[in-house]
Amino acid sequence: MARGRKGAPEAIRITDAPAPLSDDIKKRQRRYLAAMLARTAFFIAAGVTGIMGILWLAMICVLLAILLPYVAVVMANASTPKGAETSPFGAAMTQQDRLRQLPSRHDPR
């Protein structure tokens, strides 16, 4: 834990606090729902363009509809907490994670 003046623990500001997990889940759900609605629209467009005889456009719509779930899952799972940095391994690091890191040999802590 970081120490302020005279060895007292440093206060965490409310602006540094991460957003509630429920807000993050709601954002992820909205993004995923929007992607699945777009997927449905691509399938409908593929059917309509296929009936109209524009097969190349129908195939593009089907391809996008097939690839969209993968992209939607990656988008839904890719979120970093407020104020987070990434570690050398790509994982999100919060302020508490940085404070828990082991000091280096040259670190005067």
Side-chain angles (χ1 to χ4, degrees), residues 61-103:
C61 289
V62 168
L63 182 68
L64 289 173
I66 290 171
L67 294 176
L68 199 55
Y70 171 75
V71 173
V73 168
V74 170
M75 282 177 19
N77 290 335
S79 78
T80 51
K82 178 182 173 185
E85 296 176 2
T86 55
S87 72
F89 304 106
M93 290 179 56
T94 61
Q95 182 177 5
Q96 287 92 4
D97 294 333
R98 287 191 303 275
L99 294 174
R100 285 188 211 122
Q101 286 180 332
L102 294 173

Side-chain angles (χ1 to χ4, degrees), residues 34-45:
M36 291 301 102
L37 288 173
R39 181 179 190 219
T40 304
F42 281 127
F43 273 127
I44 293 170

